[in-house]
Amino acid sequence: MTTVEENPVAGADEGPYAIVTGPDGALWYTLVHSGRIGRLIPGRQPTIHQLDPDCGPTIIAAGPDDALWFTENRAHRIGRITTDGAVREFALPTAECGPFGIAAGPDGALWFTQTNSDRVGRITPQGQVTEFPLPTPGMFPAAITAGADGALWFTLNAGNAIGRISVGTNPAISLYPLPTEAAAPVGVTAGPDGAIWFVEIGAGQIGRIDTDGVITEFPLPDRAARPHAITAGDDGTLWFTEWGANRIGAITIDGVITTHELPTAWSEPHGITQGPDGAIWAALEIGTLARLAA
């Protein structure tokens, strides 16, 4: 039996948004509405690090340098915070670009998306930035992840497609349109089967794309659930948040879906990760983190 408990970590209007397990064995999360980064060791009180209150920290990821990296969507910067709380921020070459997703690549750099400028960016741990424009405008690139094939894969929310960018001297970009119209993919992660898994917030489906570009879609029992983020657990299951239905869902690589209700109504689950304690943790916009354990 899976149990769900909520852990208060911020004010109700601060908006925990993304969450990830850091190299220090703690959970790190963004507070998008108050411009803060939180750190929580399960069972203890959270530690909060204040940034520019209006910077809009969004997605956070573990970097190759034992630090955490995050996007500042409203300030149009990339941020870095050490596990001791030292913060450094990097301005981006393209003004008003709206960085959103970020993930560590196999080349020792961080890769990120720019929602407003239709670009994918790369930043080294030293802060050197390179930007790569997408071949089509108006795509709204969102989440990004490293794939088993050594490339970065990202969702194109407005473009209704999945993108791939290779790593190397001259990265190549490929786009894969989704079979379902207006599916609006958001969250994306690498699965245990070597494929890329993503959520379709507009269609109420979970998607899978293999490294040859073959796409499979799995409709949720509740097509109005608005799935938002997805992560891989070490049990071989993909876990996702249902932002519009107040649930956490799970899907096996064979497509078997289960869901779990959250205790507080309208808690708005966003980011999700596997925690250092082996449980699944989700960021709830009401100021709490949900913990799911078997």
Side-chain angles (χ1 to χ4, degrees):
M1 178 178 177
T2 299
T3 61
V4 184
E5 61 182 42
E6 291 182 10
N7 298 261
V9 294
D13 58 349
E14 294 192 72
Y17 191 79
I19 184 169
V20 70
T21 296
D24 56 348
L27 290 160
W28 290 78
Y29 54 95
T30 56
L31 296 171
V32 65
H33 299 312
S34 61
R36 306 204 290 175
I37 301 292
R39 177 181 183 270
L40 178 71
I41 295 177
R44 300 185 187 180
Q45 292 298 309
T47 303
I48 302 296
H49 303 277
Q50 183 68 59
L51 311 169
D52 168 4
D54 298 322
C55 71
T58 310
I59 303 299
I60 188 166
D65 54 352
D66 289 334
L68 286 301
W69 289 74
F70 53 94
T71 51
E72 294 184 356
N73 183 259
R74 297 174 194 157
H76 313 290
R77 295 187 298 244
I78 300 298
R80 175 185 185 270
I81 184 168
T82 68
T83 54
D84 294 330
V87 175
R88 188 176 179 190
E89 294 162 315
F90 302 91
L92 297 174
T94 300
E96 306 293 319
C97 64
F100 184 81
I102 189 166
D107 56 347
L110 282 300
W111 290 74
F112 58 95
T113 59
Q114 298 180 356
T115 54
N116 299 343
S117 62
D118 288 311
R119 296 167 188 257
V120 172
R122 177 184 184 271
I123 183 168
T124 69
Q126 295 73 37
Q128 182 178 357
V129 176
T130 309
E131 296 175 331
F132 305 96
L134 300 179
T136 305
M139 301 295 274
F140 203 86
I144 189 168
T145 193
D149 59 347
L152 280 299
W153 292 76
F154 49 95
T155 53
L156 295 163
N157 180 258
N160 206 47
I162 302 299
R164 177 187 185 273
I165 183 167
S166 62
V167 173
T169 304
N170 296 301
I173 296 176
S174 304
L175 305 183
Y176 302 90
L178 295 178
T180 300
E181 293 184 5
V186 184
V188 65
T189 193
D193 55 351
I196 302 298
W197 290 74
F198 53 95
V199 296
E200 298 179 351
I201 195 170
Q205 299 185 136
I206 305 300
R208 176 187 185 274
I209 181 169
D210 66 24
T211 52
D212 291 326
V214 178
I215 296 172
T216 307
E217 295 174 318
F218 302 91
L220 296 174
D222 179 1
R223 300 295 294 274
R226 311 273 302 165
H228 187 255
I230 187 167
T231 194
D234 65 9
D235 59 352
T237 300
L238 287 303
W239 294 80
F240 54 94
T241 50
E242 293 188 350
W243 174 72
N246 206 52
R247 290 188 290 252
I248 303 298
I251 183 169
T252 69
I253 59 172
D254 297 322
V256 178
I257 296 170
T258 55
T259 59
H260 307 277
E261 300 284 343
L262 291 168
T264 302
W266 302 107
S267 61
E268 297 192 60
H270 288 293
I272 191 166
T273 194
Q274 178 153 15
D277 56 354
I280 297 298
W281 290 75
L284 311 184
E285 195 158 340
I286 57 171
T288 64
L289 302 181
R291 178 181 185 273
L292 285 77

